[in-house]
Amino acid sequence: MTKPKIFLTGGDGIGWAVDEDLRLTAQALDGIVEPTGLDECKAIHCVWWEGLTMLPRAGLTGKRIICHVPGEPFRYLAVPAHRAAMALVGGWVTRSTQAQAQFKGVGIESTMIPYLVDTDIFKPLPSDDPEVQAFRAQRGIPEDTYLIGTFQRDSEGSDLSRPKLVKGPDVLLEILLGLHRRGLDFHAVLAGPRRHWLRARLSQHGIPFTFVGKPTETDDLEVNSLPRSTLNILYNIVDLYIVASRSEGGPHAILEAAASRCKVISTPVGMARDVLDPSTVFGTPAEAATIIEQDILKDSLSFTLDRNEKRVQTSHTSEATRPLFEDLYRKLDSVGTFAPEPPASQSSGAGAIAARSSTSETKPLTVGLWHSFFKPPYGGGNQFMMALRKGMARRGVDVRENELQTGIDAYVLNSIHFDVDRFLDFSREHRINVIHRIDGPIFLIRGFDREKDELCYQLNEQFASATVLQSAWTYQRIVDMGYRPVRPVIIHNAVDSDIFHSRGRVPFDRKRKTRIIATSWSGNPRKGGPTYKWMEDHLDWDRYELTFVGNASETFERINHIPPVPSEELASLLRQHDIYITASRNDPCSNALIEAMACGLPALYYNDGGHPELVGCGGLPFIDDEEIPARLERLVDDYESFQRLITVSTLDDVAGKYLALIEEVVR
């Protein structure tokens, strides 16, 4: 059989994960394909989607394009620029069952080939190995305490003042603080560049650590990047490695630690559940601290070493994955070839993309927001559209409300909540650029109005140049219902930080009753009314207070029920409370939940809809009402930790993503 000629590409030249993936993929493909240049190849095999978009478009035409998904698909589907890769790729390679399931959930098929690790580099070393002993002595790493390793960067790019939240350095800090509060004897070992954020905070809290590198105040990417052989020594020195990330494709550290017979625990990201024993995958910093405490006292994780190492050898080496790559290339002809879309000027119909004139490129964008605006109090969609209007205006955009003019660069349509007939009339005679923001599915939120979903997706197919989906959950449910939104991207909602913020909030105090609050504009029972009624009957009223603001499906006797109030008054009420609870079902991206978290309230949420995506590490889920008392107790016990881990999208970031889409479609 003739070996297919392929162009293998996609590294970033930094020497980190994607470069290692490129090197190990080349090893696995050795003998299966014939490497060649871009011009001569039959197929392009790229290990990183962003690297693919950097290739000249002319060189891609007629090629079969295969691309790895090196991160969590749902995170990339929230990056507007990722849509360029989606338009190019004919065959996706996912690296974990999590990634494959996420792609499948939105109707994208993929081939699963696990991540690889070089077991010639990452391997166990004898404890008396002279090189290991000399390394420990030179760096002053103690021998008489429990060593916890972390070798991945903290900062958001070269901005050393901001933590890279996706990597979870703040989560790791909360774990170490928890161990410190328990009085356990441990020592952190940090290595690699851009560790400034964590080093500063460990010093601030008096947590002992060793930094394997040269401390600098400036970016140390070139100074403190370590060879993989040195990382292997570190894995052999430390007792435990912690992965505290919020989102990952791998991470490679799981495989490197397992191959080196280093104990490892992880958040449920990437391939963690594929490789690690379930008992070593944690959800909260407190859970991680308990796992570590048991290992310090009882060596309870020793049983995982053989299992993890065997999993690496059987599934995550070049030799183990070679049959999977062979099968991938046996089916190469089933991968479609790339053909560029025709220029916009050749398109027809009302939804065609109208290019922005060259004379207007230096002028501010003019954006038409189409939504039936109401003065608050009103529903979450209305709240968001008001915030988006403000966020765009702050970025210098000329924002028009429900206007139809030929000079408007693009329109943002809010689902079906606008004057559809008027817009249809205008579109029959004008070419327009449309960003369609979709909520719902409406049928799942309300339990009725299926015909409104039908209208929404008819409008989407007819007009959309791009589609904004409010959450990954929304995307999946839309696909489940048989709809395929046009060129989708996931963008969560945001709130007006001039109104919803944590400044001046009432401090949490365990000496008084814990104040719980729920809010809802809609009185639909699916917004959680029955659960709040259950709480009225079962809450320990000596320990808690419960306030409900808005419209409810139930009548309350002990709950303090306040009718709907304007946004400023609502924000003030939120800042007077401690914990936010939402029991809403099928809620795609709850603005009420985001408002509460922006005011500094950890959340107790029904584990459904977009809630888990929004809350992350800043709260706890429940499924049955009976779970609520225990979850509340956990929130109170570790209140400050949950509160510090709250993250919300800023209005500026969200407006920026919308504008990136608009700039793309008007080019």
Side-chain angles (χ1 to χ4, degrees):
M1 180 179 175
T2 304
K3 298 174 184 176
K5 294 182 178 182
I6 75 157
F7 177 60
L8 182 63
T9 186
D12 61 6
I14 298 177
W16 289 353
V18 291
D19 283 333
E20 183 70 352
D21 196 16
L22 181 63
R23 183 179 75 85
L24 295 175
T25 299
Q27 285 185 7
L29 289 173
D30 185 32
I32 299 174
V33 300
E34 179 184 341
T36 187
L38 180 60
D39 293 338
E40 299 82 16
C41 71
K42 176 181 180 180
I44 298 167
H45 190 132
C46 189
V47 300
W48 180 42
W49 67 268
E50 195 166 341
L52 178 63
T53 62
M54 297 176 184
L55 297 176
R57 186 62 61 94
L60 307 182
T61 301
K63 310 292 187 184
R64 304 182 193 277
I65 301 177
I66 295 169
C67 189
H68 293 191
V69 184
E72 183 185 4
F74 284 167
R75 182 163 69 91
Y76 286 139
L77 291 170
V79 178
H82 181 260
R83 295 172 342 111
M86 296 297 294
L88 300 174
V89 176
W92 289 98
V93 174
T94 42
R95 319 307 303 274
S96 68
T97 55
Q98 180 196 65
Q100 188 177 44
Q102 288 188 4
F103 252 174
K104 189 173 183 180
V106 294
I108 302 172
E109 293 300 322
S110 66
T111 298
M112 211 281 270
I113 302 179
Y115 271 108
L116 309 179
V117 65
D118 191 335
T119 53
D120 290 333
I121 297 176
F122 294 100
K123 57 189 176 182
L125 301 172
S127 58
D128 59 353
D129 184 292
E131 188 176 8
V132 173
Q133 294 298 326
F135 187 94
R136 183 194 287 266
Q138 290 168 5
R139 271 70 177 185
I141 300 174
E143 298 189 46
D144 57 350
T145 187
Y146 189 88
L147 301 177
I148 297 175
T150 166
F151 313 144
Q152 64 184 28
R153 64 187 174 118
D154 306 327
S155 64
E156 187 63 60
S158 58
D159 183 351
L160 305 178
S161 65
R162 288 197 302 149
K164 187 175 178 63
L165 295 178
V166 70
K167 293 293 185 182
D170 54 338
V171 178
L172 177 61
L173 176 63
E174 293 302 325
I175 295 170
L176 300 180
L177 287 173
L179 295 173
H180 194 56
R181 287 193 295 269
R182 298 183 190 201
L184 296 168
D185 184 18
F186 70 95
H187 188 94
V189 179
L190 282 63
R194 298 177 176 172
R195 308 310 310 266
H196 300 67
W197 187 89
L198 187 59
R199 285 192 286 121
R201 276 142 190 86
L202 293 181
S203 298
Q204 174 187 344
H205 292 285
I207 295 176
F209 72 94
T210 295
F211 174 56
V212 179
K214 180 181 178 180
T216 67
E217 296 301 320
T218 56
D219 193 0
D220 59 349
L221 180 60
E222 295 188 9
V223 174
N224 286 321
S225 293
L226 299 176
R228 285 177 166 75
S229 58
T230 300
L231 291 177
N232 184 59
I233 292 174
L234 285 167
Y235 283 119
N236 276 270
I237 287 176
V238 301
D239 296 287
L240 175 75
Y241 190 90
I242 300 178
V243 174
S245 304
R246 288 178 169 87
S247 176
E248 287 279 3
H252 281 261
I254 288 178
L255 296 180
E256 294 166 356
S260 306
R261 290 185 64 82
C262 172
K263 298 170 184 174
V264 56
I265 65 173
S266 176
T267 49
V269 293
M271 61 181 167
R273 295 194 187 279
D274 294 343
V275 178
L276 304 179
D277 186 87
S279 65
T280 63
V281 179
F282 62 89
T284 67
E287 291 173 13
T290 298
I291 294 171
I292 298 169
E293 180 177 25
Q294 290 303 304
D295 193 51
I296 291 174
L297 300 177
K298 301 179 181 179
D299 193 24
S300 59
L301 296 179
S302 59
F303 81 95
T304 64
L305 297 176
D306 289 339
R307 179 190 183 280
N308 291 350
E309 185 181 27
K310 183 178 179 181
R311 184 64 60 88
V312 166
Q313 297 293 342
T314 57
S315 301
H316 296 276
T317 64
S318 295
E319 294 75 15
T321 59
R322 186 179 298 273
L324 299 176
F325 280 108
E326 287 175 340
D327 188 56
L328 176 70
Y329 274 95
R330 273 195 297 269
K331 301 174 181 176
L332 179 60
D333 287 343
S334 66
V335 177
T337 57
F338 171 68
E341 295 180 359
S345 59
Q346 299 176 13
S347 301
S348 61
I353 300 173
R356 200 175 179 200
S357 67
S358 58
T359 58
S360 66
E361 288 181 357
T362 59
K363 296 179 181 179
L365 280 169
T366 301
V367 176
L369 297 186
W370 271 68
H371 167 74
S372 299
F373 286 94
F374 293 89
K375 183 178 180 180
Y378 205 73
N382 186 69
Q383 291 286 97
F384 171 72
M385 291 300 291
M386 291 177 62
L388 181 63
R389 177 180 61 191
K390 186 172 184 177
M392 286 186 172
R394 282 179 172 173
R395 283 175 164 260
V397 176
D398 181 4
V399 181
R400 310 290 180 85
E401 294 179 18
N402 301 312
E403 290 185 17
L404 294 170
Q405 297 179 15
T406 54
I408 292 178
D409 294 306
Y411 296 89
V412 177
L413 308 185
N414 184 30
S415 186
I416 59 170
H417 309 303
F418 60 95
D419 190 336
V420 173
D421 291 336
R422 183 170 165 234
F423 196 86
L424 285 171
D425 288 341
F426 180 80
S427 69
R428 292 187 181 100
E429 297 182 3
H430 299 82
R431 297 176 63 214
I432 52 178
N433 298 311
V434 169
I435 307 298
H436 192 193
R437 176 184 181 267
I438 290 181
D439 57 4
I442 297 170
F443 175 76
L444 293 183
I445 298 174
R446 300 179 180 177
F448 52 89
D449 281 343
R450 179 67 181 258
E451 68 280 2
K452 291 187 177 179
D453 282 316
E454 295 286 349
L455 173 61
C456 181
Y457 303 118
Q458 287 173 13
L459 294 173
N460 185 257
E461 183 177 4
Q462 182 175 356
F463 290 118
S465 306
T467 306
V468 173
L469 304 168
Q470 294 179 39
S471 63
W473 179 88
T474 295
Y475 196 170
Q476 293 176 91
R477 299 295 81 76
I478 287 172
V479 171
D480 287 346
M481 293 177 70
Y483 303 115
R484 292 294 185 270
V486 176
R487 303 178 72 199
V489 63
I490 300 167
I491 305 179
H492 290 160
N493 295 341
V495 298
D496 185 344
S497 60
D498 289 338
I499 299 173
F500 296 99
H501 56 78
S502 60
R503 300 183 297 276
R505 64 166 288 104
V506 175
F508 180 65
D509 186 351
R510 289 180 175 81
K511 295 179 181 178
R512 59 166 170 78
K513 290 183 180 181
T514 299
R515 300 166 184 168
I516 308 166
I517 188 170
T519 63
S520 176
W521 165 255
S522 171
N524 190 316
R526 295 190 181 206
K527 289 296 184 178
T531 291
Y532 307 139
K533 187 65 177 178
W534 182 93
M535 291 178 67
E536 186 172 62
D537 295 334
H538 295 84
L539 200 64
D540 184 347
W541 291 95
D542 291 331
R543 297 182 60 189
Y544 301 105
E545 298 175 359
L546 178 56
T547 297
F548 180 89
V549 182
N551 298 306
S553 59
E554 311 292 323
T555 300
F556 303 124
E557 297 176 2
R558 301 191 68 173
I559 293 174
N560 178 27
H561 185 180
I562 300 174
V565 296
S567 297
E568 291 79 3
E569 189 175 342
L570 175 62
S572 177
L573 284 168
L574 289 168
R575 287 190 287 270
Q576 296 171 43
H577 287 77
D578 304 309
I579 293 172
Y580 184 79
I581 183 168
T582 176
S584 61
R585 269 63 167 170
N586 297 328
D587 209 335
C589 187
S590 170
N591 243 64
L593 175 57
I594 300 172
E595 290 168 352
M597 292 191 300
C599 290
L601 278 71
L604 180 61
Y605 62 92
Y606 183 68
N607 196 13
D608 181 47
H611 296 340
E613 299 172 51
L614 299 176
V615 177
C617 301
L620 289 172
F622 69 93
I623 289 293
D624 298 318
D625 293 347
E626 288 77 10
E627 295 176 315
I628 290 174
R631 294 290 194 274
L632 282 174
E633 193 163 334
R634 286 179 60 189
L635 283 173
V636 171
D637 286 345
D638 292 298
Y639 184 86
E640 292 81 3
S641 178
F642 283 111
Q643 189 177 58
R644 285 191 293 264
L645 293 177
I646 292 171
T647 59
V648 292
S649 298
T650 68
L651 180 57
D652 186 60
D653 285 344
V654 169
K657 289 183 177 181
Y658 273 83
L659 292 176
L661 289 179
I662 292 169
E663 289 281 7
E664 177 186 313
V665 302
V666 301
R667 278 201 298 264

